[in-house]
C-alpha cells in the first residue's frame, strides 16, 4: 500500500509541475501591458517600461517561471501587482469559505447518493426505483442556474428560512455560518446527487448479479447483511471514482455559486484577478486548485485500493 501511495504522490508532483509551467506560459502570452494598467493611460512610456522592469516582465518567460518556482517552493508567492496584498494571506482568508462549500457538497452527495442508489438498486423495477430514477433524471437535466434560482426564490424569498446572500464565518457564529452555506451547498448538490445516484444504482445491480451473491443467498445469509457487508463494498469503487471526478467539476461550479450568493471565496477572487492579469495571484490560485484536486484523487485512489487490492497494481 505504501508503494501505491508513493506512486500516486509522485504522479501528483509531476502534474503540479506541468500545470504550473503551462499556466505560466499561457498567462505570459497575452500582451496585457501590466505597467500601463497600473500607472494609467497618462503615464509616459518610459515610466511604463520601468514599471514592467520592476515587476520582472522584461525578462524571458522561462526566467520568470524559474524565478517564480524558486520562491514558490519556499512558500513565497509574492504580492498582488494591483493591490499589494500578500498572496498567501489573501488566499488564506478566502480558502476556508470555498473548502467548506466543497466539503459540504461532497458529504451531502455521498450520503444521499449512497442511500438512494442502494435503495433503488435493491428494489429494482419497483415504485421506489422508478421514483428515484425520475428524480435523478430531473436533477441531472435541470440547468444549474435554474435550480439555484428556484432554491433562492423558495427558501430565501418566499419562506425566509435562509439569507439569499452574505456569509458569516464559523468562528463568529456556527449557526449563522450554517444558514449562509446551506443554500449554496443545496444548489451544487442537486446535480451531483442525481449523477452519482444513477452510478451507485447501476453498480449495486451489477454486483447483485454476481455468482458469489447467489451463493451467499443460498447459504441463508440475511439480505441486509449481504447488501451492507458485501454488495455496498464492491459497488463503492466505481461510485468513488465518479465522486472524485464530480469534486473537480464542483470547483468550476463553486465560482458561479459564490458569485450568486455573495460568498467571499476563491471563486470571486479568481474572476477579479484573472481579468486584471495579476499573475502572482493567478498562479497561486492555480496551485491551490491543483493541490486540492491531487489530494482528493489521492484519497479516492487510497480508498479504492483499500476496497479492491487489485487496483493497487494499476
Amino acid at each position: 500500500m505504501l508503494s501505491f501511495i508513493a506512486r500516486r504522490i509522485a504522479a501528483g508532483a509531476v502534474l503540479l509541475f506541468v500545470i504550473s509551467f503551462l499556466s505560466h506560459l499561457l498567462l505570459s502570452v497575452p500582451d496585457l501591458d501590466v505597467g500601463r494598467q497600473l500607472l494609467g493611460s497618462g503615464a509616459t512610456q518610459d515610466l511604463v517600461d520601468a514599471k514592467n522592469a520592476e515587476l520582472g516582465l522584461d525578462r524571458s518567460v522561462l526566467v520568470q517561471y524559474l524565478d517564480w518556482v524558486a520562491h514558490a517552493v519556499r512558500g513565497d508567492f509574492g504580492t498582488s501587482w494591483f493591490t499589494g496584498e500578500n498572496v498567501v494571506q489573501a488566499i488564506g482568508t478566502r480558502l476556508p469559505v470555498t473548502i467548506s462549500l466543497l466539503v459540504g457538497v461532497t458529504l451531502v452527495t455521498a450520503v444521499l447518493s449512497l442511500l438512494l442508489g442502494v435503495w433503488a438498486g435493491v428494489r429494482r423495477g419497483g415504485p421506489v426505483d422508478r421514483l428515484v430514477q425520475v428524480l435523478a433524471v430531473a436533477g441531472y437535466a435541470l440547468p444549474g442556474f435554474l435550480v439555484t434560482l428556484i432554491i433562492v426564490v423558495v427558501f430565501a424569498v418566499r419562506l425566509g428560512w435562509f439569507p439569499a446572500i452574505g456569509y458569516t464565518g464559523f468562528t463568529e457564529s456556527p449557526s449563522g455560518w450554517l444558514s449562509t452555506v446551506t443554500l449554496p451547498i443545496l444548489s451544487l448538490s442537486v446535480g451531483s446527487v442525481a449523477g452519482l445516484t444513477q452510478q451507485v444504482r447501476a453498480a449495486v445491480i451489477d454486483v447483485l448479479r454476481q455468482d458469489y451473491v447467489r451463493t451467499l443467498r443460498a447459504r441463508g445469509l440475511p439480505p441486509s447483511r449481504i447488501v451492507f457487508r458485501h454488495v455496498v463494498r464492491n459497488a463503492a469503487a466505481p461510485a468513488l471514482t465518479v465522486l472524485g471526478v464530480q469534486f473537480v467539476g464542483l470547483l468550476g461550479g463553486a465560482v458561479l455559486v459564490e458569485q450568486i450568493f455573495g460568498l467571499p471565496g476563491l471563486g470571486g477572487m479568481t474572476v477579479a484577478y484573472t481579468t486584471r492579469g495579476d499573475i502572482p495571484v493567478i498562479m497561486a490560485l492555480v496551485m491551490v486548485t491543483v493541490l486540492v484536486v491531487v489530494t482528493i484523487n489521492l484519497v479516492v485512489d487510497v480508498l479504492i485500493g483499500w476496497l479492491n487490492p487489485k487496483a493497487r497494481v494499476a
Side-chain angles (χ1 to χ4, degrees):
M1 178 61 93
L2 290 179
S3 62
F4 172 76
I5 296 174
R7 291 200 304 271
R8 290 295 186 266
I9 293 176
V14 173
L15 181 66
L16 197 66
F17 172 76
V18 171
I19 290 181
S20 68
F21 177 74
L22 292 177
S23 299
H24 198 281
L25 183 63
L26 292 173
L27 288 170
S28 303
V29 170
D31 186 14
L32 296 175
D33 199 353
V34 177
R36 176 67 65 186
Q37 294 184 48
L38 289 169
L39 299 177
S41 58
T44 64
Q45 189 59 44
D46 290 339
L47 288 174
V48 172
D49 293 339
K51 189 64 180 178
N52 285 330
E54 178 186 338
L55 298 175
L57 297 175
D58 58 336
R59 300 173 297 174
S60 67
V61 175
L62 181 60
V63 173
Q64 291 180 46
Y65 173 70
L66 293 177
D67 181 59
W68 176 84
V69 171
H71 287 82
V73 294
R74 300 196 299 267
D76 178 13
F77 288 89
T79 58
S80 167
W81 287 346
F82 290 84
T83 64
E85 192 176 9
N86 184 281
V87 173
V88 174
Q89 292 178 359
I91 292 178
T93 58
R94 295 171 175 82
L95 184 61
V97 180
T98 302
I99 291 296
S100 63
L101 195 63
L102 297 178
V103 170
V105 174
T106 303
L107 290 176
V108 170
T109 300
V111 173
L112 289 182
S113 299
L114 182 64
L115 293 175
L116 294 175
V118 172
W119 195 9
V122 173
R123 304 289 183 185
R124 184 189 180 194
V128 173
D129 183 29
R130 294 193 184 93
L131 177 62
V132 169
Q133 287 198 67
V134 169
L135 294 176
V137 171
Y140 197 72
L142 287 173
F145 72 89
L146 183 59
V147 172
T148 303
L149 182 61
I150 294 173
I151 288 174
V152 170
V153 170
V154 173
F155 294 103
V157 178
R158 296 289 178 84
L159 299 176
W161 291 353
F162 304 97
I165 59 172
Y167 177 77
T168 301
F170 183 82
T171 55
E172 299 175 28
S173 169
S175 61
W177 169 81
L178 185 61
S179 67
T180 53
V181 300
T182 298
L183 293 187
I185 289 176
L186 190 58
S187 300
L188 284 171
S189 299
V190 172
S192 300
V193 171
L196 190 59
T197 297
Q198 292 285 52
Q199 182 64 46
V200 173
R201 174 185 175 275
V204 167
I205 292 174
D206 184 59
V207 174
L208 287 172
R209 291 171 176 162
Q210 301 296 317
D211 292 337
Y212 75 90
V213 175
R214 296 193 186 95
T215 303
L216 293 174
R217 286 171 175 165
R219 293 174 58 187
L221 266 68
S224 59
R225 184 177 177 183
I226 295 175
V227 171
F228 293 107
R229 188 166 181 177
H230 300 279
V231 175
V232 172
R233 175 168 183 160
N234 287 286
L240 281 173
T241 304
V242 175
L243 185 62
V245 174
Q246 285 188 345
F247 186 90
V248 177
L250 287 175
L251 290 171
V255 173
L256 179 62
V257 169
E258 286 178 4
Q259 293 286 304
I260 294 174
F261 289 98
L263 302 178
L266 295 182
M269 187 180 184
T270 302
V271 174
Y273 285 87
T274 302
T275 53
R276 296 174 181 170
D278 200 330
I279 292 180
V281 179
I282 300 171
M283 286 298 296
L285 287 170
V286 170
M287 290 301 97
V288 169
T289 304
V290 175
L291 277 175
V292 170
V293 172
V294 168
T295 303
I296 293 300
N297 284 334
L298 177 63
V299 172
V300 170
D301 288 343
V302 170
L303 288 174
I304 292 176
W306 174 67
L307 292 169
N308 181 14
K310 294 180 181 177
R312 302 175 196 171
V313 181

